[in-house]
Amino acid sequence: MPNFSFTKRNDSDNSPNSQNVLPFSNEVQFEKMSTSKVFYKKKSLTEKSSLTIQTILFILVGVFAGFFLASLLRKSLLNCKTSGCCSDDDGTNARFFDSSQNSQIKIYNHIEPTKNLVFIGVMTAQKFLDTRAKTVFTTWGSKIPGKMSFFSRSGSTSLYDIPLVSLPGVDDAYPPQKKSFMMLKFMHDNYLDKFEWFMRVDDDVYIKPDNLELFLRSLNSSKPQFIGQAGLGNKDEFGLLSLDYDENFCMGGPGMIMSRETLKRVVPHISYCIKNLYSTHEDVEIGRCIRKFVNITCTWSYEMQHIFHHNASGNDAYTKELLSKEVLRAVSLHPIKRYEYQYRLHNFLNYRKIVDLRQRYLELKREVFKLKKELINIEKENNLNTKTSSTTTTTTTTLDNIEIESEFDNLIFNRNDNLSDDLISNRFNIPSSLSSVPDPKLRSDRYDFDFFTRSLFSSSYISPKRGLEGFWKKALAENIRQIMDEINLNSIERGRLIDFKDILYGYTRHHPLYGLDFVLDILLIYRKYEGRKMTVPVRRHAYLRNSYTKLMFREDNLESSIYFELPNKYRPVQNQTQAELNQENKSFFRSFLNFFQQVFNQSSITNSNFDTLNKNYTKIFDTNIEKVNMDRDLFAKNLIQLKTINFVLPLTGRWEIFNRFMLNYEQVCLQTKDNSKLVVVLFETKETKLIYDEESGHLLKQSEMINKLFDRLRKRYQISEDRLKLIIEEAKFSRSIGCELGAASFSQRDLIFFIDVDIYFTRDFLFRARLNTIEFKQVYYPIVFSEYDPDDPLEAIKILSDSTNGNSTAKIRDDHLNLNMDTGYWRQFGFGIVAVYNSDLRRVGGFDVRIVGWGKEDVDLYEKFVKSNLTIFRSIDPGLIHVFHKIECDPALAEEQMIMCLGSKSTSIASQQNLANLIFEKKAYMNVSKLENKPSTNSTVKSNDIFAAKVNQGINIKA
């Protein structure tokens, strides 16, 4: 249904009279019958009761009939409004509307005073309504200082609620001359007196609303104006467009703007312009028509190619680096052929706006701080002048404070506060200066400058020389841009222009409290074009600071991630009958409520309001809980805790490690009665080692030992068998097959958490897994903290290079929650631990069971989620710790899997700092390096030896 705006209508003449006709006539007949006393007395009691019942029924029927007639009358008025048979008092409703065309037209009858600047008509086609048009409306379209509509062929429809105008008698064929002229006529007939400016754009353009408003408010809309990037056609078309030497046209892609007066003068002649077309370009013909009947041409201005920027890169326009002078200065950017990049550009410009607002925030705080300081100084001077000699002690204290302020001119210190505390509390109020950072007394508290040319030379990294990363290059490019803008601010008045050439060298320092400092030696080109012309190279030093501001964040309610309606096509098949019944009841109930509220001129029932009325509607999880009076966040947290989290653990051997895992699971899940289940997929073959059972004194299979353990836990905590389940697979270990077998034991709607036996987890993590995993929407990939080898790094390297030491054991840390740079690292490139709903797993195709052995199956699944429309939520999680264990790489692994396995081995030895200390402190380390590089006949040993040599040389190999 299209959306319309209406003037308020008085229904008082319709509903009361129509509702009381039948009851009133029945009452009169009863009074006439009661005039005969004899007749009335002869009536039996049964006849009297039946008459009373009949009266009540007539009243009910009358009320319902009146209610129904009132609703029909209101509906007829609605249809009259949409079909164009009636109009508002101002006569501006859609005269273009063809009721036979099923069109969606949104007429803006009431315009706010702040939204009457510009009306933007976006010319599009049916095939782009649900992609480009929807993207435009959800990004910049809703922020413009006015209104907008999308214009398409007759009978166009969209799946989304966008302001769409289907032009009758118009198709989407190219060239769209008729569509463009009819769009102008629609603007003229409906909005001429409501907006000052009218803009025509394509659906592949991005407009910056703030810049557009500043630009338009600087112009006079009462005069004929035709504004845009002037064009004469490309080289092949030059001279073939029937344009005179003094004629041009505004390019339609970046947008053309007409004042109210221009539109008023040209629209009466549109029929003539359509009949007399000289080219296939609609923007050329609009320019010709305006030139003929308004006697103005498109603005001849060099600036317009920057204001209405057209990128000649075609499909690759605005798909690469966005930080450029053209992007930041323009009002409109064209073309963006791939609509996904509209969101990228929109996010970038919002980020730039945040940066500018934070900079303005800092400047205002510094200005307030400066004024406050001046007021305090004035007050202190007045106090000094009024003090007598009897207050010598107080005067000395005040003078001491003044001395401190003169030493640190930008700060104000309280009397008994610590100096460092004042420096920290006032750091946002300090104007940018390299000397404003306090000089600490301890060498360890000092933040040194790093030197860079083409490479970065740093004392704070293990590798003292490395290339400049991407974020450094972006930071330098942004700083250079701001420097050049500042230098050339008054270049026209000075008659000179300075261009950037290169950065010869520089120094940089990162201070966590203040920001990034730069000292740059810049090579510039000085060009003087007034007076004595010259072009000379010059060098200048620039001292910069990228200041930090206070941390700002937004906190959403917990309930925002669980109240998520399931689309109909994703509902489970087994509950389809009940779901259809709920949907039918819901639709009927909502239509009835909407019907009731429309009669009394109330707003319709929305989805969110209706969900509070119908609790049976399918949600992201199904649960039956009693209503309790509690805080909303606490209530939402309890709902999240009700989600069952299903562990899937592929396993082969490693009985002692499995016992440690089960102890962790018992403490976190069973003892706390957490809503969770565990499925262990055990790969067991004839070659699997038997385990000694201390109770029976016999050697048992691992599957038998696990069953005994599960029986003991079920009995201890009185839980059902499905809470602890064992699946036995008589095959060689394959993690992908194990995960698939475990997932197959759960239903489509279940939340599954794939875990390894080496993982130590906390209860806080379980809450985050439930919270961050949303069915049909989001999967959770936590970044695990991986422990280093607790052994001495030198011994660990020996074991790493010794392929025969396969039975080596490792120490276990007592405190797994001691997270720091010396105990472990965040496994940024590990994707084996994931929480996902089974339905989402099935949608992307699940694990690739063709991958056998160790590794690669997790990366393959992660790539499937990346290619899907699911959101990947990835964040470090302090509640997940990968407990260190010695890694053994199977010689039968494929080359790619072997490299990944060896990479995990190397990164788990020790931190880079500890490995670097071995080079300087332990000569035996170098001996080990020489010893392990001896040739070997065994191919597996040789690969490990070479890898150990690379580790010894400081080369880090990662997956």
Side-chain angles (χ1 to χ4, degrees):
M1 281 290 293
N3 294 324
F4 293 86
S5 299
F6 302 98
T7 56
K8 188 173 182 181
R9 181 175 57 84
N10 188 2
D11 293 333
S12 59
D13 296 336
N14 298 325
S15 56
N17 293 337
S18 60
Q19 292 177 3
N20 295 327
V21 172
L22 289 177
F24 181 75
S25 61
N26 191 38
E27 184 178 349
V28 172
Q29 184 180 4
F30 180 77
E31 288 178 355
K32 289 181 179 180
M33 292 174 60
S34 62
T35 54
S36 176
K37 296 183 180 180
V38 177
F39 180 76
Y40 179 76
K41 290 181 180 179
K42 291 182 178 180
K43 287 184 180 292
S44 64
L45 184 62
T46 304
E47 291 177 343
K48 290 172 61 179
S49 61
S50 62
L51 187 61
T52 304
I53 296 175
Q54 184 180 12
T55 303
I56 295 175
L57 290 176
F58 276 140
I59 292 174
L60 292 176
V61 171
V63 171
F64 183 79
F67 191 73
F68 183 72
L69 290 174
S71 64
L72 287 179
L73 179 61
R74 183 174 180 83
K75 186 176 181 181
S76 64
L77 290 176
L78 285 174
N79 293 333
C80 175
K81 203 76 170 182
T82 58
S83 60
C85 63
C86 56
S87 60
D88 286 343
D89 296 337
D90 56 4
T92 59
N93 262 329
R95 303 166 204 150
F96 255 69
F97 182 68
D98 183 3
S99 60
S100 64
Q101 293 295 338
N102 238 356
S103 302
Q104 299 179 24
I105 293 187
K106 186 171 185 177
I107 305 298
Y108 302 104
N109 291 314
H110 305 287
I111 310 298
E112 301 88 343
T114 58
K115 291 288 187 178
N116 62 353
L117 181 63
V118 59
F119 179 85
I120 298 180
V122 183
M123 199 163 68
T124 184
Q126 172 64 52
K127 63 180 180 179
F128 296 128
L129 287 178
D130 295 334
T131 53
R132 291 183 182 177
K134 182 248 183 182
T135 304
V136 165
F137 188 67
T138 55
T139 52
W140 59 268
S142 57
K143 305 295 183 182
I144 59 173
K147 299 293 182 181
M148 74 181 307
S149 290
F150 296 90
F151 292 83
S152 183
R153 64 169 172 80
S154 176
S156 296
T157 58
S158 174
L159 298 175
Y160 303 95
D161 184 19
I162 60 175
L164 175 61
V165 176
S166 299
L167 296 172
V170 175
D171 55 26
D172 287 337
Y174 191 87
Q177 288 102 330
K178 185 177 181 181
K179 182 190 293 185
S180 187
F181 279 110
M182 298 303 283
M183 179 176 67
L184 296 182
K185 188 175 188 307
F186 183 90
M187 294 179 183
H188 174 274
D189 293 346
N190 293 280
Y191 302 118
L192 183 64
D193 298 328
K194 295 185 179 182
F195 297 96
E196 299 180 39
W197 299 93
F198 298 87
M199 188 174 187
R200 171 246 178 267
V201 298
D202 286 345
D203 57 7
D204 57 351
V205 70
Y206 186 95
I207 294 178
K208 291 188 274 187
D210 295 341
N211 292 13
L212 177 64
E213 183 173 7
L214 290 175
F215 176 71
L216 293 180
R217 293 199 184 280
S218 65
L219 304 175
N220 188 354
S221 62
S222 63
K223 295 182 179 181
Q225 304 271 13
F226 188 38
I227 305 169
Q229 183 180 155
L232 297 173
N234 55 39
K235 294 181 180 179
D236 298 333
E237 297 173 333
F238 190 75
L240 302 178
L241 300 177
S242 301
L243 294 175
D244 292 337
Y245 70 94
D246 60 340
E247 291 182 340
N248 63 5
F249 63 92
C250 288
M251 296 175 60
M256 58 177 72
I257 301 177
M258 287 168 276
S259 64
R260 179 187 299 161
E261 187 64 24
T262 301
L263 189 66
K264 181 179 180 180
R265 294 185 186 185
V266 74
V267 166
H269 306 282
I270 278 182
S271 298
Y272 173 86
C273 296
I274 294 178
K275 294 177 181 178
N276 297 271
L277 301 175
Y278 293 88
S279 70
T280 59
H281 301 290
E282 49 88 18
D283 49 1
V284 175
E285 298 307 319
I286 289 178
R288 193 193 319 276
C289 191
I290 291 177
R291 175 71 176 85
K292 182 176 182 62
F293 295 105
V294 188
N295 198 28
I296 58 174
T297 60
C298 187
T299 47
W300 287 104
S301 176
Y302 176 79
E303 277 187 327
M304 290 302 152
Q305 65 179 325
H306 300 295
I307 296 176
F308 301 92
H309 186 257
H310 175 76
N311 193 317
S313 301
N315 292 335
D316 295 331
Y318 310 109
T319 60
K320 298 178 182 178
E321 182 58 48
L322 296 176
L323 186 60
S324 63
K325 180 170 59 179
E326 292 78 11
V327 173
L328 298 177
R329 288 175 53 185
V331 170
S332 67
L333 300 168
H334 176 267
I336 307 174
K337 296 298 184 183
R338 288 181 278 181
Y339 69 94
E340 299 88 349
Y341 284 89
Q342 283 264 16
Y343 294 105
R344 176 174 178 261
L345 179 60
H346 184 68
N347 292 336
F348 171 77
L349 293 174
N350 282 340
Y351 158 74
R352 293 302 314 173
K353 188 174 182 179
I354 292 173
V355 171
D356 295 339
L357 289 175
R358 288 200 167 194
Q359 179 62 31
R360 181 58 179 160
Y361 167 78
L362 276 178
E363 292 172 354
L364 291 175
K365 280 187 66 68
R366 290 167 182 168
E367 187 68 23
V368 172
F369 186 79
K370 180 181 178 181
L371 295 175
K372 182 179 178 181
K373 174 190 172 183
E374 292 178 356
L375 292 175
I376 293 177
N377 288 338
I378 293 175
E379 183 180 357
K380 287 183 177 180
E381 291 179 0
N382 294 335
N383 291 337
L384 286 175
N385 295 332
T386 57
K387 287 185 181 298
T388 60
S389 58
S390 61
T391 60
T392 306
T393 305
T394 305
T395 305
T396 304
T397 304
T398 306
L399 288 172
D400 289 341
N401 283 336
I402 293 177
E403 287 182 9
I404 294 177
E405 289 180 16
S406 62
E407 184 178 354
F408 300 93
D409 192 38
N410 295 314
L411 301 175
I412 296 178
F413 300 105
N414 296 324
R415 227 171 257 186
N416 298 321
D417 288 345
N418 183 272
L419 183 62
S420 60
D421 293 338
D422 286 307
L423 288 171
I424 293 175
S425 62
N426 292 320
R427 67 185 186 277
F428 299 117
N429 303 322
I430 303 174
S432 297
S433 172
L434 299 183
S435 61
S436 61
V437 178
D439 192 10
K441 297 180 180 179
L442 298 178
R443 177 67 182 83
S444 58
D445 296 334
R446 188 186 302 273
Y447 294 92
D448 296 329
F449 279 91
D450 296 332
F451 174 79
F452 66 89
T453 52
R454 294 293 178 268
S455 300
L456 181 66
F457 300 87
S458 174
S459 62
S460 58
Y461 291 84
I462 301 302
S463 179
K465 178 183 177 181
R466 71 183 194 280
L468 287 172
E469 289 91 341
F471 65 88
W472 284 115
K473 293 180 180 179
K474 287 185 178 181
L476 289 172
E478 172 63 10
N479 285 322
I480 292 298
R481 185 191 65 81
Q482 294 188 37
I483 291 173
M484 300 313 300
D485 288 346
E486 189 73 21
I487 291 177
N488 293 315
L489 186 61
N490 300 315
S491 59
I492 297 178
E493 292 81 356
R494 297 180 181 181
R496 56 101 175 120
L497 183 66
I498 300 177
D499 295 330
F500 169 75
K501 182 67 175 178
D502 195 10
I503 298 178
L504 300 180
Y505 67 88
Y507 297 91
T508 181
R509 173 181 64 181
H510 172 238
H511 197 291
L513 296 179
Y514 296 92
L516 280 172
D517 295 333
F518 291 95
V519 179
L520 304 179
D521 190 334
I522 308 175
L523 178 61
L524 306 172
I525 304 298
Y526 179 87
R527 308 179 192 275
K528 187 175 181 182
Y529 52 84
E530 286 189 2
R532 183 183 175 184
K533 298 179 176 59
M534 64 175 67
T535 301
V536 294
V538 295
R539 291 176 62 179
R540 289 291 182 269
H541 278 179
Y543 302 88
L544 313 170
R545 167 173 290 174
N546 301 141
S547 300
Y548 290 151
T549 59
K550 289 184 177 180
L551 180 64
M552 300 179 183
F553 62 92
R554 184 187 69 186
E555 183 176 358
D556 291 334
N557 293 329
L558 288 174
E559 62 180 10
S560 62
S561 61
I562 62 173
Y563 288 109
F564 176 72
E565 276 194 9
L566 297 180
N568 292 331
K569 62 180 180 179
Y570 296 142
R571 293 182 183 174
V573 179
Q574 58 269 25
N575 295 334
Q576 193 65 36
T577 303
Q578 183 63 31
E580 291 175 354
L581 180 60
N582 292 338
Q583 179 65 25
E584 183 179 354
N585 294 336
K586 175 181 178 178
S587 301
F588 172 78
F589 192 43
R590 177 183 286 143
S591 61
F592 181 77
L593 290 178
N594 284 338
F595 163 78
F596 179 80
Q597 291 199 349
Q598 286 177 3
V599 170
F600 292 96
N601 203 19
Q602 299 293 328
S603 60
S604 299
I605 297 290
T606 61
N607 287 341
S608 58
N609 293 334
F610 182 81
D611 290 335
T612 61
L613 301 174
N614 189 354
K615 296 297 183 181
N616 293 326
Y617 191 55
T618 309
K619 293 292 182 182
I620 192 171
F621 64 96
D622 297 323
T623 180
N624 293 318
I625 60 173
E626 296 180 358
K627 294 181 180 179
V628 292
N629 295 323
M630 59 174 66
D631 181 75
R632 294 181 65 185
D633 278 355
L634 181 58
F635 180 64
K637 186 173 182 179
N638 289 339
L639 291 179
I640 294 172
Q641 293 286 13
L642 289 174
K643 290 184 184 180
T644 301
I645 185 166
N646 302 280
F647 289 75
V648 173
L649 173 63
L651 180 67
T652 179
R654 311 185 67 187
W655 171 247
E656 294 81 6
I657 308 299
F658 178 72
N659 272 319
R660 184 186 68 202
F661 172 84
M662 288 305 302
L663 180 61
N664 180 212
Y665 183 84
E666 181 182 0
Q667 293 173 347
V668 175
C669 300
L670 299 182
Q671 292 180 2
T672 60
K673 298 182 179 180
D674 187 81
N675 197 9
S676 60
K677 297 179 181 180
L678 172 63
V679 171
V680 177
V681 182
L682 177 65
F683 289 83
E684 192 173 48
T685 61
K686 295 180 180 179
E687 291 77 15
T688 305
K689 294 182 180 180
L690 300 177
I691 302 172
Y692 177 76
D693 182 18
E694 296 182 354
E695 293 182 3
S696 63
H698 299 292
L699 292 175
L700 301 178
K701 292 182 179 180
Q702 186 172 357
S703 57
E704 297 174 341
M705 295 293 292
I706 293 177
N707 280 325
K708 290 185 64 175
L709 175 61
F710 282 2
D711 291 338
R712 188 163 55 250
L713 292 175
R714 292 190 192 104
K715 185 177 180 180
R716 181 183 304 169
Y717 296 101
Q718 297 181 353
I719 57 178
S720 59
E721 290 188 2
D722 64 333
R723 294 286 298 276
L724 295 173
K725 184 178 180 181
L726 176 63
I727 299 176
I728 303 174
E729 179 70 9
E730 296 181 356
K732 191 176 180 179
F733 177 77
S734 172
R735 190 175 186 274
S736 59
I737 295 177
C739 292
E740 280 294 310
L741 290 174
S745 63
F746 299 110
S747 67
Q748 291 283 326
R749 304 292 304 280
D750 285 343
L751 171 61
I752 301 177
F753 174 54
F754 296 101
I755 192 171
D756 288 341
V757 72
D758 303 293
I759 297 297
Y760 176 88
F761 61 93
T762 64
R763 197 177 184 204
D764 291 338
F765 160 74
L766 298 182
F767 176 78
R768 288 188 289 271
R770 294 181 172 104
L771 177 67
N772 297 325
T773 311
I774 305 176
E775 191 175 13
F776 308 116
K777 185 176 182 181
Q778 182 171 285
V779 296
Y780 181 42
Y781 269 94
I783 299 177
V784 180
F785 185 82
S786 187
E787 292 182 344
Y788 288 132
D789 192 341
D791 290 333
D792 181 67
L794 183 60
E795 297 298 326
I797 293 173
K798 289 181 180 180
I799 296 173
L800 171 67
S801 59
D802 187 3
S803 62
T804 62
N805 193 0
N807 298 324
S808 59
T809 58
K811 297 179 182 178
I812 302 297
R813 298 185 188 276
D814 297 330
D815 185 8
H816 296 300
L817 298 179
N818 182 20
L819 312 183
N820 58 65
M821 296 177 62
D822 292 328
T823 60
Y825 64 97
W826 295 105
R827 190 174 291 218
Q828 301 283 351
F829 301 99
F831 305 99
I833 311 302
V834 56
V836 59
Y837 277 88
N838 204 2
S839 56
D840 295 333
L841 184 67
R842 301 276 72 83
R843 287 175 61 200
V844 300
F847 288 89
D848 188 352
V849 295
R850 296 171 297 178
I851 301 175
V852 296
W854 190 94
K856 196 179 177 181
E857 84 290 333
D858 53 348
V859 178
D860 177 79
L861 180 64
Y862 184 80
E863 290 176 350
K864 291 179 180 179
F865 283 124
V866 170
K867 295 176 182 178
S868 71
N869 61 348
L870 293 170
T871 300
I872 296 177
F873 186 87
R874 185 156 175 80
S875 174
I876 61 173
D877 198 310
L880 274 183
I881 295 91
H882 182 272
V883 181
F884 177 80
H885 64 90
K886 300 295 183 181
I887 299 176
E888 301 176 12
C889 298
D890 190 344
L893 289 175
E895 180 181 357
E896 186 178 357
Q897 291 174 292
M898 176 63 74
I899 293 175
M900 296 170 66
C901 182
L902 296 176
S904 295
K905 273 182 131 180
S906 68
T907 53
S908 300
I909 296 173
S911 64
Q912 288 185 336
Q913 183 67 50
N914 290 335
L915 291 176
N917 291 336
L918 290 177
I919 298 177
F920 300 105
E921 298 176 4
K922 295 188 180 287
K923 295 181 180 180
Y925 178 81
M926 301 305 295
N927 295 334
V928 171
S929 176
K930 295 178 181 179
L931 179 64
E932 301 302 338
N933 282 326
K934 292 181 179 181
S936 173
T937 57
N938 187 293
S939 59
T940 305
V941 176
K942 184 176 180 180
S943 63
N944 283 339
D945 291 344
I946 295 174
F947 184 77
K950 291 183 178 180
V951 174
N952 297 338
Q953 295 170 13
I955 300 176
N956 185 18
I957 299 179
K958 292 185 178 179

